[in-house]
Amino acid sequence: MNHNFCKPNAPGFFLILVSAFSNFSCSPQLTLTVAGSGPGGNSVGGDTSSGGGTSSGGGTSGGGGTSGGVGNPLTIRLDFKVTNTSPTARTQTISASVPFPEGGYLPADLDNLIVSGHETSWLPMQFWADGRVKLAQAQFTDDLEPGETKSYVVASGENARKGAFTRNGWVVATGGNLEFGAEVRDTFDVPYRAFATGPGEVLQSTPLVQTKRWRTYHTSILPGTGIGRDYLTSTYYVTEYRDMPFMVVDWILGNDYLGADQIPVGNADPNLRALGSVDVRSAKFLYRGANEALPYRPLTENIGERHLNDGYQAFQVMQNDWLADGQTRRYRFVLRFEPANPTISEQARWQRSANAMVDHPLFALATSNAWLQTKAAGLLGGPIPGPADAPARARQELDSWVGNTTWYGTWGSRGDVLPTATTGTPRNHPLSPELAHAIQGEFPPLLLKLEQMAWTQAMRPFHLWQLEVGAEQRILLYEGLPYLAVQGETLGRRRLRDQDPYRPYRTLGSSLPTHGYNAYDSEHWTTDLLFDYWTISGDAWAKEELRQLGQNLKGLLRLEYYATANVWPVRAEGWGMHSFAQIYQVTRDQTLKAYAMRRVTEIIEVQRKKTHPSRALMFMSSYGGTGYPLDHEFIYSYQYGSLLYGYLGAYKAFGEPLLLAIAEDAVETVQYSWVTNITQAPYGFIPQGLRYMIPISHNGTPIPANYWDNLPGGIRFGDSPLGGSHSMLIGGLHHLADFTSDNSIRTRARYYGGILRGELSASDRWNKWYYCLPPAYAQ
């Protein structure tokens, strides 16, 4: 029997209608309605009056920026740059993330701020613990010449634009017949389609920019054929601009079913029915009713040429491929609109601007000085000023990334690391190198690398739509998806494993069933790329990814029943807390903060080794790699760098004193692990050093740190007595010195941190474990 969970009268095609009425504002809004069972649609007229923000009106010119007052200088200069890397001029609505200092601006204060000389709207993005603005997106429209770098500054004393979003006049005039959606084909080449319908969900809205979301399921367009249910999902994030006749459609093709072990009787929600890894003979983006659709980065994304497909314009994005359970793929298309008789100059203007958006994306970036003065980057601020050649280094980094063609294609890494447990913690940072180096070099184009590496998160098998994990729920999400080796809720995956009804649709998954991408192991958990991408973009998809990962992290670091209800390895607790704080900064989800603090109060504070002289968070069990006789316990000193970044970052975000108190004990751990004036091959005389592995007990009996110093391997230093992994401690120790009110802790944190830091070289300033030092220690 064929089941369709999208709507009662499927199969059919659906139509986006531009309506003059909306529940969301008094201006014309995009409304999606079912158009019937055929491929046609209803033509709807629209308001062709102004909406473009210029004196000539969006109906005649397509839009453009409106000038604003100059305003007055701020106490702290908040300025940013934009570089047009396109060889042609462009007009574009610019979204610039502006950092604000702690204790500075309330949300209402944004009403009195503008980008000097430009009509400005604001979108608050992050807040300090006291509720004041930490980061907000300034939105305004401007013209840029080919290759031009432009500087802007925030000023006070002028009114920002407030109120409802206004649709661009050309979109109103010409978008009434717009349809967009997707088609996928299964193992047996049966086509399934999913078009956006209904009013959509408003995610973000200002007078200049609005983003909505539509969530859909693909259903067979041939009655009585196919798998007998929906086949994959499409989620569309659609961004419109008052001043540009474009819609940006971010299409997420997904296998992101939540699933459930017990489905309530009568509940037909397709999201509760897991599908599992399935073949994708082809996947296409479909549209009609726009003058043009331009695929974003089509060569690197492996997007085919536009072609006709059953009355629609189509772009193929996959062929003879598959989507694993929990895996998705993100694509972007810019839809362009123009009226029947545009002027030649305006038509050319918007054609150039649309081409530039997909070929040469525009990024705004606050200056290094603005980030330094506000300390608003990441969780702890930074980066410090880069080396003298920082601009050249940033440009070379972008050129090297662009030139590595092995990183591209449908499932290419974009420079990300696929196995997340790779030695050297390449995906954990106090601040991602992609953002830090762009700031240090004041080189906005490098943010393209950050964007694309963040987009790879779509390909990791984490995706469970509408996931909400209860604090006491019996579920373990140890590998992104439910861990079937333990008891508890498996979201339908155990039944899918044991009684698989869809096996004929799983023929293409190779020896790399998830295309090489894995979920994060608990000791290398990270949301750094997504958090930093959200910081510079305000991207609605990134916010949803972070929200879902917050739930997934709760499902990994459990409070009871499972092994992770005990203190987990230090770096797992540190990086986990780092992510809890990042996600809270983006979502303001109080339940997430409460869960993180329950872990601290009910597990960490109860189980940590407060009576041992090391003040360690936990002891590691016997491990042959130490070289110590079995059976023993030991600690790693370097992992307390993770603890410092995570707990101090959460202390800043949450304002909870216990987090600082636990971080302060890291100084005791470092002191316990320290050695002075010893001689050991191959280093010779070592005036100062830090043990890498430190013994704690043998056969259940406590032993001192130097108990096995005379074994053939000597003291376990790791890479070197002061270098290598020990550098992970440098930034955290110096931040701790600034945060603590305990003079002894401050003195020792500066002492040990200073020895590990040494004199900063140019390479150190470019190194992730150094560049988030408090500026006073980087002179």
Side-chain angles (χ1 to χ4, degrees), residues 80-390:
F80 57 91
K81 295 180 178 180
V82 173
T83 298
N84 178 21
T85 58
S86 172
T88 62
R90 72 201 296 171
T91 299
Q92 188 159 334
T93 296
I94 297 168
S95 297
S97 295
V98 178
F100 290 87
E102 192 170 10
Y105 296 82
L106 293 167
D109 295 331
L110 297 177
D111 296 344
N112 248 356
L113 300 178
I114 63 163
V115 175
S116 184
H118 299 274
E119 183 187 27
T120 307
S121 289
W122 289 97
L123 178 70
M125 296 169 63
Q126 293 179 32
F127 299 88
W128 295 105
D130 65 358
R132 293 178 186 266
V133 178
K134 179 183 178 187
L135 193 77
Q137 187 180 87
Q139 301 168 345
F140 64 100
T141 305
D142 202 6
D143 301 314
L144 293 105
E145 295 302 314
E148 180 181 18
T149 294
K150 239 177 180 178
S151 295
Y152 302 88
V153 64
V154 176
S156 66
E158 296 284 346
N159 292 331
R161 184 68 182 259
K162 297 189 296 181
F165 172 70
T166 305
R167 170 162 291 112
N168 182 273
W170 280 17
V171 176
V172 172
T174 62
N177 290 320
L178 175 65
E179 301 175 67
F180 65 82
E183 177 184 290
V184 296
R185 290 179 177 255
D186 68 17
T187 308
F188 308 101
D189 215 33
V190 174
Y192 306 73
R193 289 182 181 169
F195 282 73
T197 64
E201 175 188 4
V202 176
L203 301 179
Q204 298 173 173
S205 189
T206 72
L208 271 66
V209 183
Q210 180 171 266
T211 299
K212 288 185 174 184
R213 179 172 60 198
W214 283 266
R215 168 78 172 175
T216 64
Y217 297 84
H218 303 90
T219 55
S220 174
I221 65 173
L222 304 174
T225 65
I227 198 172
R229 56 163 292 172
D230 49 283
Y231 201 81
L232 302 174
T233 70
S234 278
T235 305
Y236 309 101
Y237 292 82
V238 181
T239 302
E240 292 190 66
Y241 308 88
R242 186 198 69 177
D243 297 341
M244 300 192 300
F246 309 142
M247 291 182 186
V248 175
V249 179
D250 285 300
W251 169 36
I252 315 301
L253 176 62
N255 193 344
D256 54 351
Y257 297 86
L258 175 63
D261 286 345
Q262 298 295 326
I263 301 174
V265 176
N267 187 318
D269 184 358
N271 192 43
L272 297 184
R273 293 157 168 82
L275 181 60
S277 179
V278 292
D279 303 336
V280 181
R281 287 295 180 192
S282 72
K284 298 179 180 181
F285 179 75
L286 307 177
Y287 80 96
R288 63 185 176 195
N291 292 82
E292 184 178 26
L294 301 171
Y296 185 61
R297 296 173 58 79
L299 295 180
T300 58
E301 297 298 294
N302 200 24
I303 299 174
E305 295 289 334
R306 182 173 58 242
H307 62 278
L308 278 174
N309 187 95
D310 192 25
Y312 291 89
Q313 299 293 327
F315 292 92
Q316 182 162 289
V317 299
M318 290 186 192
Q319 187 173 19
N320 294 324
D321 214 319
W322 69 93
L323 274 177
D325 191 6
Q327 196 164 44
T328 65
R329 187 64 171 78
R330 176 174 176 165
Y331 298 95
R332 172 173 288 176
F333 295 85
V334 175
L335 306 185
R336 188 176 63 82
F337 301 84
E338 63 184 43
N341 296 299
T343 65
I344 294 175
S345 62
E346 285 300 304
Q347 182 185 45
R349 174 195 191 194
W350 294 117
Q351 181 70 74
R352 287 195 307 269
S353 298
N355 290 342
M357 286 178 70
V358 297
D359 294 331
H360 301 276
L362 195 68
F363 298 97
L365 181 64
T367 62
S368 176
N369 194 51
W371 289 110
L372 276 173
Q373 290 191 90
T374 60
K375 301 179 182 179
L379 295 178
L380 295 175
I384 60 175
D389 63 345

Side-chain angles (χ1 to χ4, degrees), residues 53-66:
T54 63
S55 58
S56 59
T60 56
S61 69
T66 300

Side-chain angles (χ1 to χ4, degrees), residues 16-20 42-46 172-173 175-177:
I16 299 177
L17 305 178
V18 177
S19 171
N42 299 326
S43 185
V44 174
V172 172
N177 290 320

Side-chain angles (χ1 to χ4, degrees), residues 720-740:
S720 67
L722 292 174
S725 60
H726 299 321
S727 60
M728 290 177 65
L729 288 156
I730 292 170
L733 286 171
H734 286 89
H735 280 288
L736 177 62
D738 283 2
F739 286 165
T740 187

Side-chain angles (χ1 to χ4, degrees), residues 605 608 613-617 640 643-645 647-648 651 656-671 732-733 735-749 752:
E605 182 63 8
R608 68 191 185 99
S614 71
R615 304 283 286 183
L617 198 75
Y640 287 80
L643 180 82
L644 286 167
Y645 285 120
Y647 273 61
L648 292 178
Y651 172 64
E656 297 285 349
L658 180 56
L659 294 165
L660 175 58
I662 293 173
E664 286 174 332
D665 276 351
V667 169
E668 308 293 345
T669 310
V670 171
Q671 180 171 305
L733 286 171
H735 280 288
L736 177 62
D738 283 2
F739 286 165
T740 187
S741 60
D742 186 304
N743 189 57
S744 172
I745 292 172
R746 180 184 303 110
T747 299
R748 286 180 291 155
Y752 293 120

